[in-house]
Amino acid sequence: MTDKDKRPEWSVPAAMAIPEGGYFEDKVDVGRYGPTFPKTPACYGFTIIAKLIPGREEHVREHGRLLAQTVTDAPDSLEVLKLHYLRWVLFDIKSETYFMYQGIFDTDFDKYTEDAVALFSKYGIDTVFENLEGFPADWKTNPASFVQFVRDHQCPSFLEYGEYPYVSADEIKKALRVKAALSEMLDQMQ
């Protein structure tokens, strides 16, 4: 057994090439709303690219400010989503504005989507997706329509990398709490 074989999985960086379309044909997991995207070294996630309804740029930016304020006021407000990272981008293609949503999280696609719908309802926040062409008006009462919109606009990655692969956000927070406790203990010993 090599030293590499003795190391925990999270200590060895990993990369995964993903087939076109985002699924491995030999092991497609089917969830409540159809196939779920595979867990990769970066955990779960998706990228959505959709055309913005003309004139909605400021609505999207304001929604970003509202979400940031919600997290400032209630730091655990997005906890149910088990997010690692979330990135929103507006960009132009041929004088039309598009929105890109990138999220990396710990739950499967179906759970993340259902949790997002429930979360927005809980906090009385509309989704930024309401500013996108073709987004279903019944998304709050019909999670399947929300899921279908996401699936229709998902742009699967073809490579994902994890410096600490398959580690959940909760595991990272726990490790940081242990580090802080050890640091505090060592400080007290001096």
Side-chain angles (χ1 to χ4, degrees):
M1 184 181 260
T2 66
D3 286 340
K4 183 179 179 182
D5 294 333
K6 294 178 187 176
R7 295 191 294 180
E9 181 181 42
W10 58 263
S11 70
V12 180
M16 179 184 286
I18 302 168
E20 189 172 345
Y23 304 101
F24 294 95
E25 291 180 25
D26 61 331
K27 79 182 232 202
V28 174
D29 291 326
V30 178
R32 291 174 294 287
Y33 305 103
T36 60
F37 298 105
K39 186 173 186 178
T40 73
C43 293
Y44 292 100
F46 54 82
T47 300
I48 298 166
I49 297 177
K51 190 173 170 184
L52 201 65
I53 296 170
R56 295 284 184 97
E57 293 87 349
E58 186 51 35
H59 292 277
V60 169
R61 292 185 186 285
E62 180 56 33
H63 193 83
R65 290 188 287 271
L66 173 64
L67 191 56
Q69 188 61 53
T70 299
V71 172
T72 298
D73 294 344
D76 294 336
S77 58
L78 300 180
E79 185 175 24
V80 69
L81 297 178
K82 301 298 182 190
L83 280 163
H84 286 257
Y85 302 101
L86 187 58
R87 177 171 277 168
W88 294 359
V89 178
L90 290 173
F91 60 97
D92 291 334
I93 299 175
K94 297 183 180 180
S95 301
E96 295 179 318
T97 304
Y98 286 78
F99 174 76
M100 180 171 66
Y101 173 103
Q102 292 179 306
I104 299 290
F105 42 89
D106 290 328
T107 63
D108 69 38
F109 175 81
D110 290 348
K111 179 159 178 35
Y112 179 86
T113 304
E114 289 172 344
D115 288 345
V117 170
L119 182 74
F120 293 136
S121 297
K122 175 183 176 181
Y123 286 101
I125 299 173
D126 292 330
T127 178
V128 70
F129 298 155
E130 289 182 340
N131 296 290
L132 304 177
E133 289 188 1
F135 189 72
D138 67 345
W139 69 273
K140 288 182 183 176
T141 58
N142 184 3
S145 69
F146 188 107
V147 169
Q148 190 59 51
F149 179 85
V150 171
R151 287 187 185 282
D152 291 346
H153 293 84
Q154 157 72 349
C155 296
S157 55
F158 59 90
L159 175 75
E160 295 199 9
Y161 171 85
E163 182 68 23
Y164 42 90
Y166 305 104
V167 177
S168 73
D170 287 340
E171 290 170 315
I172 293 167
K173 288 178 187 179
K174 182 179 179 180
L176 292 171
R177 283 192 302 271
V178 168
K179 177 185 174 196
L182 287 172
S183 180
E184 183 179 331
M185 181 182 73
L186 291 172
D187 289 345
Q188 290 178 7
M189 291 174 63
Q190 294 180 3

